[in-house]
Structures are given as structure tokens and as C-alpha cells.
Amino acid sequence: MRSTKTDIYFLIFCSIILFSSFIVFILIFFNHYRKKQRLNFTEKENMKSTFQQILLQSQLEIQEQTLKNISEEIHDNIGQVLSLAKLHLGTMDKNNPVLLEEKIQDSKYLVGKAIQDLRHLSHSMNTDYINEMGLPGALEYELNMIGKSGLYETVFFIEGTVQKLDKQKELILFRIVQEVLNNIIKHAKAKNISLLINYQGDQIEVIINDDGDGFDLTPVQQNENNNFGLGIKNMHNRAKLINSIFAIESTLGKGTTVTLTIPYTIAKTKTT
């Protein structure tokens, strides 16, 4: 009888220990889950904050670049066109009807061209023009602005069916390409620049190629702290932020190719 009671007490004791252990395990698991949940929430908020900061910075940089383009366009093109129109108007001779008519027509054409160029510039005053024109139109316009300088031969291609991406990510993607083009102008000593947008089955590729001097990628790969290397890393980080793969290939004396690849399924997902 005593043995039976002892066994019962032992079973009760073991049951209490097991139940307590189970409760402790549940509490530890729940506490770990809550910590992980809070950590995930914090990481998501940090990513959201970083995305918004990069987005705002990209908008400001695009506006700054746009104002620079407008200044150069007015000085180098529209100013020259209007000066030429003024020259035609100032040399008109009413005693020579044939030449007078020719100068009037030429002046009309030049003034019309200046008005058209000003309209194009007005579209680029707001970064919303990227959304309005679409990424292909905005990139083609940017490339045409470079080509109008007369220093570069530019070529723009589109392959596949154009797909609309999230406007915020298109803006950041546009800024990355704009920065690549600026680097070509500053450093590459190129004569030819090509830009391809390739809409594939499940992703979009943007490929920028130049035939400039090229450069050694070793300092960048070895994380050496220089302005050019930091610029490339900055573009790489922005690309990661929109789930894009940023790849760069360069050979001394043979130019540089930059490729940006974004999967459609990720690119179309809005940041929340």
C-alpha cells in the first residue's frame, strides 16, 4: 500500500515537473517569438525609412541634374537658336523680296524650334515627368540630351514588350542610370554610348555601354576608399534597395558595360 502511494506521489511529481517544463518552454518560445517579431518589425521600419530617404535623395539629385541640363540646354542650344533668329531678323532687306521671304521662313523655323525645345524642357522641370513619360521615354530623353552636345554618338534600343514598374522604383532606377551616364561623361573619354532596355519574360534589363578608356575594377572589389569606388558602391546599394542586380564590367582601353536586372514579380511589388 505504501509502495502504491509512493508511486502515485512520484507520478504526480513527475507530471508537475513535465507540466512546469512545458509551461516554461512555451514561455521561452513565446518570448523568443515576440523578440524575433519586434526585430523583424524594426528591420522592416528601418528598410522603409532607408527606402524613403534614398527616394527623396534621388528626387533631389534628379532635380539638381535636371536644372543643370536646363541651364546647358538654354545656353548651348536655345540661346544659339534665338541668336540666329535675331541675326536673320536683323539682316532682312525689304528691297530684296526673295531673300526677305527666305529669311522670314528661316526665322519662323528657328523660333518654332526654340519654342519646341522650351516645351521639352518644361516637361523635365518636375520629376513626375519620369512617371508621365515612362522609364523608356525618360531614359531616351536623357540620352538625347547627351547626344545633342555633339561630343558623343548615342544609340537607344528597346527590346520586348514595355512593362510599367512601380513609379518609386522607376525613379530610383532612372537615377542610377543617370549617375552611370554622368560617370561616362566625367571619366570615360568615350565617343559612343548605347543604352538598351530589354523586357524579357520575367525581368527587365537595362544595359549601358561605352567605348571609353575603361578602368581597373580591383580597387572597387578590394573596398578601397576612393570617390569613384564609393560612387559605384552607392549605385550598387540603391540597386539592392529595389531588388535589382547591379553588375559592372570594364576593360582598360575597351570601355565599360553596366547592367541592371530587376525581376518583374519583385519590381512590381509596392513597398509598404
Side-chain angles (χ1 to χ4, degrees), residues 1-12:
M1 186 72 177
R2 176 174 288 181
S3 177
T4 302
K5 284 185 177 181
T6 303
D7 290 342
I8 291 172
Y9 291 149
F10 180 75
L11 286 173
I12 293 173

Side-chain angles (χ1 to χ4, degrees), residues 120-258:
H120 288 159
L121 285 175
S122 69
H123 288 306
S124 64
M125 287 294 291
N126 194 322
T127 52
D128 286 343
Y129 83 98
I130 297 169
N131 186 45
E132 293 169 1
M133 295 174 65
L135 183 65
L139 291 178
E140 184 177 17
Y141 177 80
E142 195 74 11
L143 201 63
N144 286 340
M145 289 289 290
I146 294 172
K148 287 178 72 173
S149 68
L151 300 174
Y152 307 93
E153 290 292 330
T154 59
V155 182
F156 180 79
F157 300 98
I158 294 179
E159 292 183 0
T161 303
V162 174
Q163 301 280 346
K164 185 72 174 175
L165 306 180
D166 179 90
K167 67 177 184 179
Q168 293 180 327
K169 293 178 181 178
E170 278 195 348
L171 189 147
I172 292 177
L173 180 59
F174 174 85
R175 178 53 192 158
I176 294 171
V177 175
Q178 194 179 52
E179 196 167 350
V180 171
L181 294 173
N182 285 338
N183 282 339
I184 293 173
I185 294 170
K186 290 179 181 177
H187 305 290
K189 298 179 182 177
K191 293 182 179 178
N192 296 279
I193 304 171
S194 67
L195 197 159
L196 166 67
I197 306 179
N198 186 8
Y199 293 92
Q200 300 177 355
D202 58 351
Q203 64 185 21
I204 172 177
E205 274 189 344
V206 179
I207 303 172
I208 310 106
N209 180 264
D210 71 76
D211 63 348
D213 290 345
F215 62 96
D216 183 9
L217 283 167
T218 304
V220 179
Q221 295 165 345
Q222 293 180 349
N223 295 320
E224 290 187 13
N225 189 11
N226 59 72
N227 290 334
F228 189 63
L230 288 174
I232 292 176
K233 287 180 175 59
N234 182 48
M235 289 185 280
H236 176 76
N237 290 335
R238 290 188 182 192
K240 281 180 63 179
L241 198 63
I242 57 173
N243 298 298
S244 173
I245 299 171
F246 179 90
I248 183 167
E249 297 178 4
S250 188
T251 304
L252 289 171
K254 294 186 178 180
T256 302
T257 300
V258 173

Side-chain angles (χ1 to χ4, degrees), residues 20 23 54 56 74 92 114 123 126 132 181 201-202 242 261:
S20 300
I23 294 297
I54 293 295
L56 177 60
I74 290 174
M92 286 182 178
H123 288 306
N126 194 322
E132 293 169 1
L181 294 173
D202 58 351
I242 57 173
T261 307

